[in-house]
Amino acid sequence: MAVKLQGFEFWKTTLRGARYVVAPMVDQSELAWRLLSRRHGAELCYTPMLHAQVFVRDANYRKDNLYSEVCPEDRPLITQFCANDPEVFVQACLLAQDYCDAIDLNLGCPQMIAKRGHYGVFLQDEWELLEKMVKLANEKISVPITCKIRVFNKMEETVQYAQMLEKAGCQLLTVHGRTKDQKGPATGIASWEHIKAVRNAVNIPVFANGNIQHLSDVEQCMEETGVQGVMSAEGNLHNPALFEGLSPPVWEMAEEYLEVVSQYPPCTLSYVRAHLFKLWHHTLQIHKDLREELAKVKNLQGLTEVSRQLRLRCQEEITNGGEEAGQVVGLPFPHWICQPYVRPVPKDLVANSNGTEVKAVRHKRALSLEDSDGASDALSKNKQKKKARNPHKNFCPEQKPKYIKCEQCGNPKGNQCVFNLCRGCCKKKAYKEVADCPSHGLKFKTKAEKQKSEREEEKRKSRGLQEEEDGGLLNGTPNTPTDPHRGQTVA
């Protein structure tokens, strides 16, 4: 067995000293996108976040999300898992270790699904559990363990958190310089000061994540924080050539991506559609009819055709508009050029204490995270739409129904499950005990009883036929044809 490299040796040798990194993005950092990003400067990519428990129990999930995406050009590659159970995490790592160069534990996802499933950043306060998970995985698997985290408000707590993970066996740390409350409309600015403090406090490589929109941001971040590499998520989605320092026309990136998708099938259609929406975001604000068409089409050919129509319209604008063609208020380049998307600032954050406008750029906020007052009350776009449809809908977290956890894995249990388990755990238990669970639609007992009755019915029929045959022989009835002239049985 080859010696497992650690820390800086792992980064320099296995990861080839990667500085430009594409983040793990759910349903977005699939093989085709990773290959496109590598063509344009990315030196290291992550898989989308995979659910460790599902990965262990579902062979199709393993095949669709990792095994079928093996490609020599797609290395170095780190597979990311979310997990909250040390044993399950190790099992998932063992199943994945031969298909990647390292395993990453997601400790940074701030979404509601992560809160319900009890993983991602919502494990941030459970240091004993995290230490056990990282330590056990580091001991059991053949590739290095890495972690991706978010920061605490307090810098000192963030540093101690990073040091705990390093001591447990983490070989590389990615630090997203935002807290778990900085998401959606309240995303705000990532704190490079926190990232710098972590880099100075640990003896393993550190990647920075946050505030990356251009190659100049990458260079500035590395200079200010001293990190080994910089990870990009949204910046990469809007401009896959970010790490080249280029801002090409959108259609060039869209056409190249669609070409890679056709070369490396299968690729889920929803992933392709989402990428085209991101790439063409600014143009689709103008050509809204094609936006609707892009949302409707049902196959890859349809998506390709909509992208072609967008290119033709942009080229027509260039031909007819001269130097002012494509200029949109608030955008530094014409709308058909790959460029960052800046989230709108929530209304309650638009004005500061003096009533002056707050600019939506990185330098807009001089306050450190330690001075921030936590989560914003602003609603996301999705919630605003729901509120418009139902003005009486309440989004207050304190008044939402509390989810009761599954007794085995910690995921939300079925409300009427006879075992008080989630569907996955219930299915295993019901199968083992040959039981039914109506709330999860599981009928192992019913099916077993039906099969048993069918077998008994078959046995009764067989016995009846045998009795008829035996009765015929006792009564002297021949069972085979005879020759009337010889009086003997015909062979």
Side-chain angles (χ1 to χ4, degrees):
M1 181 178 176
V3 177
K4 182 164 65 174
L5 301 180
Q6 299 181 342
F8 282 95
E9 190 179 3
F10 156 65
W11 172 66
K12 290 176 183 176
T13 305
T14 306
L15 302 186
R16 305 167 196 169
R19 298 176 302 153
Y20 303 149
V21 186
V22 175
M25 296 173 283
V26 175
D27 297 345
Q28 295 284 261
S29 58
E30 84 288 356
L31 175 63
W33 189 261
R34 297 197 300 264
L35 292 175
L36 176 70
S37 299
R38 290 181 192 275
R39 289 183 181 182
H40 294 280
E43 299 169 341
L44 171 65
C45 294
Y46 284 63
T47 67
M49 181 192 75
L50 306 177
H51 197 296
Q53 191 174 52
V54 181
F55 195 85
V56 169
R57 73 170 183 244
D58 192 335
N60 288 329
Y61 183 81
R62 295 195 292 271
K63 179 183 176 183
D64 295 343
N65 291 281
L66 185 62
Y67 295 175
S68 65
E69 293 199 343
V70 175
C71 177
E73 296 86 2
D74 188 33
R75 302 300 277 266
L77 176 70
I78 296 180
T79 297
Q80 188 187 69
F81 286 113
C82 67
N84 55 24
D85 182 289
E87 295 294 339
V88 172
F89 179 49
V90 169
Q91 289 178 47
C93 292
L94 291 171
L95 290 167
Q97 64 183 5
D98 295 333
Y99 299 87
C100 58
D101 298 292
I103 304 289
D104 187 76
L105 176 60
N106 183 321
L107 301 176
C109 180
Q111 303 305 321
M112 182 54 68
I113 190 171
K115 185 175 183 179
R116 290 173 181 166
H118 192 55
Y119 58 80
V121 77
F122 299 98
L123 297 176
Q124 193 176 44
D125 296 317
E126 300 184 33
W127 289 19
E128 187 177 340
L129 172 63
L130 296 181
E131 185 177 13
K132 184 177 179 181
M133 289 176 68
V134 174
K135 186 175 182 179
L136 188 63
N138 185 50
E139 292 172 354
K140 298 288 186 181
I141 71 171
S142 61
V143 296
I145 291 293
T146 70
C147 297
K148 185 173 187 290
I149 66 172
R150 283 193 171 222
V151 300
F152 290 90
N153 282 323
K154 294 181 179 179
M155 195 175 293
E156 182 181 351
E157 191 174 10
T158 303
V159 168
Q160 292 173 351
Y161 182 44
Q163 290 174 330
M164 178 275 292
L165 292 171
E166 178 190 14
K167 185 178 179 181
C170 176
Q171 304 302 323
L172 184 148
L173 199 59
T174 300
V175 184
H176 188 158
R178 294 183 174 92
T179 66
K180 68 180 179 181
D181 297 319
Q182 286 183 274
K183 58 185 178 180
T187 294
I189 303 305
S191 169
W192 286 357
E193 290 79 13
H194 282 63
I195 298 173
K196 181 180 180 180
V198 170
R199 169 78 285 276
N200 292 335
V202 299
N203 296 310
I204 55 175
V206 174
F207 290 160
N209 183 207
N211 303 345
I212 305 302
Q213 297 181 342
H214 305 280
L215 183 60
S216 58
D217 296 328
V218 175
E219 294 165 348
Q220 184 179 352
C221 180
M222 294 181 74
E223 182 180 343
E224 290 187 15
T225 63
V227 294
Q228 280 63 50
V230 173
M231 178 181 284
S232 174
E234 285 201 16
N236 165 261
L237 290 177
H238 288 276
N239 181 10
L242 182 152
F243 289 129
E244 287 184 311
L246 302 176
S247 296
V250 172
W251 60 80
E252 290 184 6
M253 293 292 96
E255 289 171 1
E256 187 175 356
Y257 171 63
L258 291 168
E259 178 188 336
V260 177
V261 168
S262 63
Q263 288 177 354
Y264 295 89
C267 183
T268 306
L269 195 69
S270 62
Y271 300 177
V272 182
R273 192 194 313 274
H275 280 301
L276 293 180
F277 267 113
K278 281 279 195 293
L279 288 170
W280 286 109
H281 174 83
H282 300 297
T283 300
L284 289 170
Q285 308 308 306
I286 299 169
H287 300 286
K288 294 184 178 179
D289 59 323
L290 290 180
R291 180 185 181 86
E292 294 178 6
E293 189 64 24
L294 187 61
K296 289 181 191 175
V297 291
K298 303 294 184 183
N299 51 48
L300 184 61
Q301 292 73 24
L303 294 175
T304 304
E305 177 58 25
V306 174
S307 186
R308 189 183 74 85
Q309 291 294 332
L310 285 164
R311 172 176 62 83
L312 292 175
R313 291 196 186 182
C314 291
Q315 291 175 338
E316 185 178 353
E317 282 187 58
I318 295 171
T319 302
N320 299 334
E323 294 182 1
E324 299 298 321
Q327 296 296 333
V328 177
V329 175
L331 294 183
F333 306 113
H335 61 79
W336 56 72
I337 296 296
C338 288
Q339 56 195 299
Y341 167 67
V342 178
R343 293 175 183 270
V345 181
K347 291 180 181 180
D348 57 345
L349 298 179
V350 168
N352 62 15
S353 58
N354 297 321
T356 56
E357 186 178 351
V358 180
K359 296 181 180 179
V361 294
R362 173 158 32 91
H363 303 292
K364 72 181 179 182
R365 187 172 102 181
L367 294 174
S368 70
L369 288 175
E370 294 183 7
D371 298 325
S372 67
D373 57 356
S376 168
D377 293 329
L379 296 179
S380 66
K381 285 184 178 179
N382 192 32
K383 287 181 179 178
Q384 289 172 15
K385 290 178 183 177
K386 290 180 180 178
K387 190 78 173 175
R389 292 195 297 268
N390 182 7
H392 302 292
K393 190 171 180 65
N394 189 354
F395 293 99
C396 179
E398 289 76 17
Q399 297 180 18
K400 283 190 174 182
K402 302 297 182 183
Y403 291 92
I404 303 174
K405 293 181 181 178
C406 167
E407 294 177 356
Q408 293 187 5
C409 70
N411 287 328
K413 83 171 188 71
N415 288 334
Q416 299 177 3
C417 176
V418 296
F419 299 116
N420 289 320
L421 302 174
C422 67
R423 178 173 171 77
C425 296
C426 176
K427 187 174 182 181
K428 289 180 183 177
K429 189 174 180 68
Y431 177 78
K432 185 177 180 180
E433 298 184 5
V434 192
D436 288 350
C437 179
S439 70
H440 284 130
L442 303 175
K443 299 181 179 180
F444 293 111
K445 182 179 179 180
T446 303
K447 289 178 181 177
E449 290 175 347
K450 184 178 179 182
Q451 291 171 356
K452 183 179 178 181
S453 64
E454 289 175 350
R455 286 196 297 270
E456 290 176 351
E457 182 66 27
E458 287 294 326
K459 287 179 181 179
R460 282 197 296 271
K461 288 181 179 178
S462 298
R463 282 198 299 268
L465 291 172
Q466 187 64 41
E467 288 172 358
E468 288 180 7
E469 291 176 358
D470 293 344
L473 289 172
L474 290 172
N475 294 328
T477 304
N479 290 319
T480 55
T482 57
D483 186 335
H485 299 289
R486 298 191 179 183
Q488 62 183 21
T489 300
V490 177

